[in-house]
Amino acid sequence: MRVFIRCLLIVGLLTNAALIAPRSSLWAFQTPPTESKEQRDARMGWWREARFGMFIHWGIYALPAGTYQGKRVGGAGEWIMHDAKIPVARYETFAPQFNPVKFRADEWAAIAQAAGIKYMVITAKHCDGFAMYKSTASKYNIVDATPFKRDPLAELSTACAARGIRLGFYYSHCWDWHEPNATGLVNDWDFPPLNKRNPDAYFRLKSLPQVEELAAHYKPSLIWFDVPDLTRQRSEEFMTVIKRHVPDCIVNDRIGNGLGDYATPEQFIPAGGMQGRDWETCMTINDTWGYKSYDTNFKSTETLLRNLIDIASKGGNYLLNVGPTAEGLIPEAEVQRLKEMGGWLKVNGEAIYGTSAGPLMKAPAWGRVTQRPGKLYLHVFDWPATGKLLLPITGNVVKAYLLTAPGRTLAFSASDDGVEIRVPAKPVDPIASVIVVEIHGDVRPLDTARVVQGADGTIRLAVTDAEIVGSGARLFGDREKFVGYWVNAGDYVEWAVKVARPGDFDVVVNYACEPGSAGSEFKLVIGDKSIGGKISSTGSWDDYRLLTLGTIHLDRPGTITIAVKPTKKPGLAVMNLRSVTLRPRRD
Ligand code: FHN
């Protein structure tokens, strides 16, 4: 819940700051030139093929490593300056102590390569303002301000190129707790508050020049912006300085204001992927991006691999983070997991690299499906004890076999429920075994609906079966999931529903809303029909209440789409939504 409040806080600040950012700009720039679909596909080609990247959060925050003045500081390691309100003068003393003598760029590149990783994104400057490369725009950098005196980004650039790994840079272009004129979530313990700043000075003197020197000197394949809090005009300026030096550079959506090449869901996997968009889930292996000496909550290799497969089955990339130590070493627990992921990819990489989202509406209970033209890859997590695996599709299947044993075909037969494949008694791999199904012509999914009307006629719409469309709203919760962080009124939630028995239904919404956000309005939309509702406070984001909207009529059986779409959002967020239920009216 704290995360949710922080997110809302951040949104509030962003909204506020955006109002004061100067309208005039000091730079001559042109709106980024449009490119054809063919040009964009060519430029995105390596990234879409890659599917798997390494995120690296490395900075002088690795020195305190989550502890300050003898106390453990909550939050992520790279946030310690903010969370412990460390004065700039004190935080700067970490720089002369920072000497990562065990750093070997080629070792990191070798770890990435052995993991089956195809691109790397490393923090060039995080929100603490310290540059991890030789910057001429600011002397507050690893070459000028530490005894290390080397440029790790230059060394990584050479090491990655030698191993065919693409290199990108993370850059926080608005937030900077070292600077008095930065924007967004500011350092207000050393400097004036947000409304007494001149963001123009920050952009002109540090942020834009640093992004330009990164592009000009290192020619990165990708720039990964973070925490945007700037005008559209500014976002275009950043895009212009990058493209001036690296025309085919890929840029993520956090450059801000609708620019950028792909969406960046963080720490979660969108339930239904992000239809029609390029997207990448970034995620920590433990709970922190930047190193914390006592964060040992590492996800298992099984979880990490199945995340990669799940993401690829929805057409996305997985940017998995490591947080190196102040000595320049990637923690062994992270190296070990990456190595085990690489072992699986060495055998099964064909089923991940260069594949696209599988054809099914909903993940089958036994695993996930990826595809490339003419082939489906069935990633089986739960091996069937019956020796039969059902793939809910129709199509002209010509062959089926284990990816690890292409010469040994598996018997299969078609039925009304799909293609049934006879499989060996034991799986090939305890985490995921891959079966290849070669198919000629179109593949038509049979699981056209994630939700099926109950025997009693009730239609239960749980958010775990929904597709969440938009860039803010997403699933939260452990025991009971809910859609939260619904800060964009354009975001909506929808379900594909198989209706056997039409008729009249009472619609009941299960939601929560804190007093400050009450007043939102929304519609439940089914084809050309809709029924409206208004959100009142339930007391808090955790207190759920049932709201009956009234009655809606379903004309005929078949597969329909039911959506919950906001029409008005006076507060910060629309609501937290747990479920919608359509109960048959019993006259
Ligand atoms: O606040 C940062 C955080 O430190 C980290 O860099 C993540 C990585 O995506 N981005 C921001 C939180 O969304």
Side-chain angles (χ1 to χ4, degrees):
M1 210 51 213
R2 205 162 63 90
V3 170
F4 178 75
I5 299 300
R6 170 176 276 177
C7 289
L8 281 185
L9 173 68
I10 288 171
V11 168
L13 285 160
L14 294 184
T15 312
N16 174 38
L19 296 178
I20 61 167
R23 294 285 169 243
S24 67
S25 155
L26 294 172
W27 293 274
F29 65 93
Q30 69 279 6
T31 303
T34 52
E35 66 182 344
S36 69
K37 181 180 178 311
E38 292 69 27
Q39 289 168 325
R40 174 175 157 69
D41 288 345
R43 186 166 59 84
M44 295 298 292
W46 69 263
W47 185 89
R48 291 169 179 162
E49 170 81 19
R51 287 286 171 255
F52 189 21
M54 176 190 272
F55 214 170
I56 303 176
H57 276 68
W58 194 36
I60 57 177
Y61 41 75
L63 262 174
T67 300
Y68 180 62
Q69 293 178 334
K71 292 198 188 86
R72 289 187 172 188
V73 181
E78 71 286 359
W79 270 68
I80 192 165
M81 182 179 177
H82 174 276
D83 292 347
K85 297 291 181 277
I86 302 175
V88 165
R90 174 75 183 82
Y91 191 84
E92 285 176 343
T93 65
F94 292 138
Q97 303 170 57
F98 189 72
N99 191 12
V101 293
K102 292 183 180 174
F103 169 72
R104 300 279 180 282
D106 190 54
E107 263 177 29
W108 289 15
I111 290 167
Q113 190 173 41
I117 279 166
K118 302 299 181 184
Y119 65 105
M120 198 185 268
V121 178
I122 183 167
T123 46
K125 178 201 71 82
H126 205 274
C127 306
D128 63 349
F130 188 77
M132 292 295 282
Y133 68 96
K134 169 61 182 164
S135 170
T136 49
S138 160
K139 290 294 179 202
Y140 192 49
N141 70 69
I142 190 168
V143 173
D144 296 316
T146 78
F148 189 58
K149 301 208 172 305
R150 287 161 44 191
D151 181 339
L153 269 55
E155 294 178 25
L156 273 173
S157 187
T158 305
C160 286
R163 293 175 183 269
I165 295 170
R166 295 275 187 153
L167 182 62
F169 299 139
Y170 165 111
Y171 191 87
S172 69
H173 54 330
C174 303
W175 293 13
D176 190 322
W177 302 318
H178 186 262
E179 304 296 336
N181 286 312
T183 65
L185 194 63
V186 296
N187 169 348
D188 55 9
W189 55 96
D190 285 305
F191 303 121
L194 195 57
N195 59 0
K196 297 260 191 294
R197 293 171 168 238
N198 172 14
D200 218 49
Y202 177 67
F203 285 115
R204 179 162 43 84
L205 298 175
K206 184 170 182 179
S207 186
L208 265 166
Q210 284 196 324
V211 168
E212 179 139 30
E213 64 188 8
L214 283 167
H217 300 161
Y218 302 89
K219 308 287 185 205
S221 297
L222 189 155
I223 299 273
W224 209 97
F225 285 105
D226 204 0
V227 286
D229 173 51
L230 70 176
T231 61
R232 161 92 193 194
Q233 200 175 298
R234 278 264 186 278
S235 296
E236 288 179 357
E237 287 160 28
F238 280 100
M239 189 67 89
T240 299
V241 297
I242 293 168
K243 298 296 183 168
R244 184 178 298 148
H245 302 283
V246 194
D248 61 355
C249 188
I250 291 176
V251 177
N252 75 341
D253 65 349
R254 300 190 190 183
I255 187 172
N257 296 294
L259 297 184
D261 294 304
Y262 66 88
T264 51
E266 178 173 319
Q267 299 285 35
F268 79 104
I269 301 168
M274 298 186 90
Q275 309 303 330
R277 285 207 67 183
D278 289 304
W279 61 277
E280 167 199 80
T281 280
C282 58
M283 194 180 282
T284 53
I285 293 182
N286 47 11
D287 293 323
T288 177
W289 302 94
Y291 180 64
K292 290 182 86 171
S293 60
Y294 47 85
D295 182 337
T296 57
N297 186 29
F298 299 104
K299 297 172 183 71
S300 68
T301 302
E302 176 182 283
T303 298
L304 297 170
L305 254 181
R306 288 185 177 177
N307 282 346
L308 172 64
I309 295 165
D310 183 23
I311 290 167
S313 76
K314 294 165 180 168
N317 282 15
Y318 195 25
L319 187 64
L320 189 56
N321 183 76
V322 296
T325 66
E327 292 183 301
L329 296 175
I330 297 174
E332 185 49 36
E334 294 174 351
V335 174
Q336 187 51 35
R337 285 157 175 78
L338 289 171
K339 198 171 164 186
E340 290 163 0
M341 293 178 81
W344 185 88
L345 281 163
K346 198 171 179 66
V347 173
N348 301 287
E350 175 192 332
I352 296 288
Y353 302 126
T355 61
S356 55
L360 301 179
M361 273 297 287
K362 178 179 180 181
W366 43 259
R368 298 295 184 271
V369 181
T370 57
Q371 66 176 325
R372 69 178 69 248
K375 284 185 180 177
L376 300 180
Y377 299 97
L378 283 51
H379 302 260
V380 186
F381 299 164
D382 300 322
W383 198 255
T386 59
K388 295 173 186 165
L389 191 80
L390 181 64
L391 177 63
I393 60 142
T394 58
N396 177 12
V397 175
V398 293
K399 201 176 175 185
Y401 51 89
L402 285 166
L403 181 57
T404 51
R408 213 178 88 205
T409 56
L410 301 176
F412 61 89
S413 56
S415 72
D416 290 347
D417 297 325
V419 177
E420 188 176 83
I421 302 165
R422 248 72 84 218
V423 297
K426 296 274 181 230
V428 174
D429 185 293
I431 294 179
S433 304
V434 179
I435 293 172
V436 183
V437 172
E438 292 189 4
I439 197 160
H440 288 173
D442 292 342
V443 180
R444 284 179 302 287
L446 290 173
D447 71 333
T448 49
R450 289 202 194 124
V451 178
V452 178
Q453 186 174 17
D456 64 356
T458 301
I459 297 172
R460 289 178 182 79
L461 305 176
V463 289
T464 45
D465 285 326
E467 185 182 334
I468 305 167
V469 182
S471 59
R474 56 181 184 259
L475 282 183
F476 287 92
D478 300 322
R479 212 169 24 83
E480 281 203 83
K481 295 285 186 190
F482 63 91
V483 171
Y485 194 44
W486 202 336
V487 295
N488 302 329
D491 292 0
Y492 61 93
V493 184
E494 67 178 16
W495 293 265
V497 183
K498 197 170 192 175
V499 177
R501 301 209 317 267
D504 290 329
F505 294 82
D506 289 334
V507 181
V508 182
V509 176
N510 185 356
Y511 80 98
C513 181
E514 69 156 16
S517 264
S520 292
E521 295 176 19
F522 65 93
K523 280 187 176 167
L524 181 114
V525 181
I526 305 177
D528 56 2
K529 293 188 180 69
S530 67
I531 184 165
K534 182 163 185 171
I535 296 296
S536 48
S537 166
T538 62
S540 80
W541 291 118
D542 298 317
D543 293 321
Y544 282 81
R545 166 185 306 172
L546 297 182
L547 169 66
T548 300
L549 304 187
T551 304
I552 198 163
H553 179 74
L554 300 184
D555 298 327
R556 67 184 76 84
T559 297
I560 60 171
T561 297
I562 300 179
V564 171
K565 297 190 171 186
T567 53
K568 184 181 165 195
K569 183 181 73 76
L572 262 180
V574 177
M575 67 173 114
N576 282 356
L577 175 67
R578 260 210 187 125
S579 67
V580 179
T581 305
L582 276 68
R583 293 186 188 129
R585 277 185 70 80
R586 305 223 187 284
D587 294 327

